[in-house]
Structure formats: structure tokens, C-alpha cells
Amino acid sequence: MNILVVGGGGREHAIIKKLKQNPDVQKIYALPGNGGIAADAQCVNIGAKDIDGIVDFAVKNAIDYAVVAPDDPLVLGAVDALESKGIACFGPRANAAIIEGSKAFAKNLMKKYGIPTAKYEVFNDCDSALKYLDTAPVPTVIKADGLALGKGVIIANSKDEAKAAVKSMMQDKAFGKSGDCIVIEEFLTGPEVSVLAFTDGKTVVPMVSSMDHKRALDGDMGLNTGGMGTVAPNPYYTKEVASECMQKIFLPTIKAMNSEGRTFKGCLYFGLMITEDGPKVIEYNCRFGDPETQVVLPLLKTDLLTIMRAVTEGRLDSVNVEFEDAHACCVIMASKGYPSHYEKGFEISIPDELLNKVYVAGAAKDGDRLITNGGRVLGVTEISDTLASAIDKAYADVRKISFENAYYRKDIGKRAICATEGK
Ligand code: AMP
Ligand code: GLY
């Protein structure tokens, strides 16, 4: 089989490494991939948002199956476009990807179908939003409606901060059109859990839970990033919480999407907060998370392509999806300064024995050399019987990888360890 994977980050590298394990896979193309992914797939310089380019490439290269991983092409209709040429795909169509593409859509869906989430209001004009803030409690959460590279959420600790956030989104267009509409919502507290789930619109199969570390600095300080590391499973996601989530969130969401005529097929990401009133949805993503995928897929025992094709063909109930009974930890090595300004172009050195544990995100080829080319450069994942030893092993690996200006958090998994010890 010839497979095409759209995207070029650590998540896509993890997906490609897993797909390669299927003996029927002859060739994998990554569009655009990156310098590190080039070791596992043929990278083609077509951008993930170039829908016409992707379809044209797929048709000309006899692609049998396409996996569309990032949010942008999904929301832009890459799956619809590929399917119209008869190419089977993993990922939701645009009318279902809207669950991530519009926060107002997601919030209204949850309200209509009684799915637990923070209370909220949607605003299409700046004046009414500002007026509402006069009486809204603080902290308050301001969210741009559309995609904003994971930066469209501002937690404001005062009315002034909240008003400044609204103005930057709606008047100054900090996130372009994504901020034409905003959601203002109640601030919730509690541990966060990421649950990625396979679904074919009928059956929903949650994968092993995980915990992201979104802030740039140790102790959850500093700016929000795409994610600085992950562990799986997440200790806050107990059996009781899992069963409550299935009944009150996962199944109702799948049903709600069907009722709206927007059947979701692919990987649905539930960003959850375990509040005192039970689990609530913080966000939906229409795709695998990054870097959650880098801990979840290494723990997957079942063949990934088999599951994906069952999702596409609407027979997920026929596959027994199994995960290792183990712990995984992924530490992201970034360029110093990320998520703000950082330099690129430094040579990356990775010992050969670590290559199968490294997922490359922001790197390019310069002749034979691999050089840094992004904020999040790579992630290293280790699996072990205990969380503590997975963390120790991941950090031991990190110390063997080098590039100038490398930065990584030193406390990935620390909160999870405290939770396990009941602290
Ligand atoms: P999102 O991009 O929607 O995942 O939001 C980014 C981060 O903002 C989340 O991971 C949470 O830590 C935080 N956040 C979002 N919504 C809320 C909320 N209603 N209450 C508290 N924190 C939130
Ligand atoms: N790690 C968060 C995300 O993928 O959106």
C-alpha cells in the first residue's frame, strides 16, 4: 500500500513510525514532513494547507490511503477533497472538523446536548463583549472562535486584562478572522486530562489517557506553548472518571454530531478538566494531539493502520484495540526562546541507538546534517513499568542529544508523580 500522511511535526513522525510496522505498507509519503521524518518516509515539499497540491499528488502517486493529521487541512476540507477523488482517508470531513474549527460551534453543541462544559457567552461584536465583561466574574477566559495555532485562549485575572484581550482579538485582529467571533467563558479549576479517541461515528474507543505540559517553564510558569512534554496514562483519569466521561461526554458527543448531520470519523481529542463537579470539556480537537500522540501511540499494541481503516470503513467495533500496561514519558527539546523569538540552523546530534525513540518536529536537512528549524525541535519518548523510571529514562536520553540553544523543561511528569503519591 502507498500511504500519504499530511503534516510535518512530532505527531506525524509518531504516526508514521507506527504505520511502518504494518507489513502491507510499501511506501509512506509525508507532505511536507521534515528533516527527521525523512528517515522514515519520503518527504514531499507540499504544504499541509495546500489542499489542491495534496489531492493532485495523491492522484498522481496512486495513494491507497491518506492520513490527514493537522487541524488546518481538516478544517479546510482535505478529507472531503481526497475522498472526492476516491482516496480513502483517516480524519473527519470539514463539516465535522468544525468541532475544533469553531469554538462557538463546540460550545453551542455542548449546551444543546447537555454535555458538561464551562458556562459561556458568544459575541460577534466588540462593544457587547466589553459590556458583558463589566459584570462577568474574574478570572475569566477569552477564546477566539477559530484556529489560532493554540494561542487563541487568554485567561484574564482582572476586568482590564479581559477587556484588553477582547480588544486585541476583535479590534486589533491579533488572530485575524479567527477573532471576529469570541467566546467568553467561566474559569474552571482542576487537573487536566487529554483523551484521544478513535471513532467511526458509531463506536468510540478511547486511547490511553495522557497529561500535557503546556507552559514553557518549570512549575507550569511562562507562556503557553504547543506542549513541552507528556506522560501517559494520566493518574487523574481513574476508572470512575473514565466511565463518567464515556457516559456523559464521549458517547453524547458522537451522538450529538450524528444528530447534527456531522458524523465524526477519525481521532477526536477530548481536552478535559476534572472539576469538583465532575469532568468537563475544555476543548475538542478534531485530530491527534501533539505531543500526546508521542506517548499514546508508542503504548498502542494493536496495528494502527488496521484501526484507522476500520474507522474509515465504519467497522471499528470489529477491532480489539489494546494498549500496553505500562507508562510513557515524552520530553520535548525546544529552541531556547520558544514560544517567542528563537534562532534556527544549529546541528542536531542524536545517537543511533535513540533514533527509534525520537520524534522530530522542527528540523531540516542541510546536506547530511540535521539542523534545527523550529521552536519545538524534537521529543524523546521512553516506556517503562513505572512512571518514575519512564521519566528517568527519557531525561537520560535527552542528555545524550545535543544542539546549540537546546531548552527543555526539567519537571515533565512531576505533577503526575505527586498525584500518584496522593500529594
Ligand atoms: P485550549 O486551547 O482551549 O486547550 O486552552 C488552553 C488552556 O487554557 C487549557 O489547556 C486550559 O489550561 C486553559 N483553559 C481553557 N479554558 C479554560 C477554562 N474555562 N477554565 C480554566 N482554564 C481554561
Ligand atoms: N497538545 C495540545 C494539542 O495538541 O492541542
Side-chain angles (χ1 to χ4, degrees), residues 129-410:
L130 292 175
K131 198 162 159 223
Y132 171 80
L133 286 175
D134 281 330
T135 53
V138 285
T140 193
V141 185
I142 323 278
K143 298 186 173 182
D145 176 56
L147 298 179
L149 294 170
K151 293 178 186 155
V153 175
I154 293 175
I155 296 175
N157 289 308
S158 68
K159 279 195 189 356
D160 285 347
E161 241 180 77
K163 288 186 176 180
V166 167
K167 284 183 191 159
S168 89
M169 285 182 195
M170 301 194 92
Q171 282 176 355
D172 309 338
K173 307 268 175 224
F175 305 112
K177 278 196 145 323
S178 288
D180 285 352
C181 169
I182 62 164
V183 172
I184 300 184
E185 70 178 36
E186 174 196 14
F187 176 74
L188 299 176
T189 53
E192 288 183 54
V193 180
S194 305
V195 178
L196 319 182
F198 292 111
T199 178
D200 59 0
K202 294 178 280 194
T203 306
V204 54
V205 179
M207 300 177 224
V208 61
S209 63
S210 54
M211 181 190 284
D212 195 2
H213 296 68
K214 285 201 167 119
R215 300 295 196 98
L217 308 177
D218 286 4
D220 293 327
M221 307 295 278
L223 294 173
N224 250 326
T225 71
M228 295 300 294
T230 36
V231 294
N234 184 320
Y236 292 104
Y237 194 69
T238 58
K239 279 206 170 81
E240 294 71 38
V241 171
S243 129
E244 198 176 348
C245 287
M246 182 56 96
Q247 295 315 316
K248 294 187 179 161
I249 296 174
F250 304 161
L251 291 170
T253 301
I254 300 308
K255 247 176 108 178
M257 291 296 276
N258 286 336
S259 304
E260 295 293 309
R262 296 173 181 275
T263 294
F264 189 103
K265 282 184 172 192
C267 172
L268 184 51
Y269 169 130
F270 297 89
L272 307 167
M273 195 174 268
I274 316 302
T275 73
E276 282 190 346
D277 303 329
K280 294 190 179 178
V281 178
I282 288 285
E283 63 163 347
Y284 291 115
N285 291 325
C286 63
R287 52 172 174 84
F288 284 95
D290 190 342
E292 284 89 342
T293 304
Q294 291 90 308
V295 283
V296 169
L297 289 189
L299 289 171
L300 179 65
K301 283 207 279 191
T302 314
D303 176 62
L304 179 61
L305 184 59
T306 304
I307 303 171
M308 287 182 156
R309 294 183 71 191
V311 166
T312 308
E313 291 162 21
R315 45 173 186 81
L316 181 57
D317 61 349
S318 68
V319 183
N320 185 21
V321 179
E322 287 185 304
F323 286 85
E324 304 280 353
D325 183 13
H327 295 262
C329 172
C330 172
V331 178
I332 298 293
M333 296 182 77
S335 301
K336 194 175 88 192
Y338 170 75
S340 305
H341 175 74
Y342 54 84
E343 289 177 52
K344 305 182 202 177
F346 300 115
E347 183 166 0
I348 306 168
S349 142
I350 307 171
D352 283 351
E353 81 264 17
L354 294 185
L355 285 174
N356 63 346
K357 298 169 182 179
V358 170
Y359 302 103
V360 179
K365 270 266 150 81
D366 176 30
D368 280 346
R369 300 185 318 149
L370 190 62
I371 57 169
T372 64
N373 191 37
R376 290 191 292 177
V377 173
L378 56 85
V380 190
T381 300
E382 280 285 357
I383 295 179
S384 196
D385 291 348
T386 67
L387 176 58
S389 82
I391 295 169
D392 286 349
K393 285 166 77 179
Y395 276 107
D397 295 346
V398 162
R399 286 189 288 272
K400 292 182 196 153
I401 296 172
S402 61
F403 54 90
E404 217 172 306
N405 281 3
Y407 167 77
Y408 55 92
R409 271 181 65 164
K410 311 286 184 298

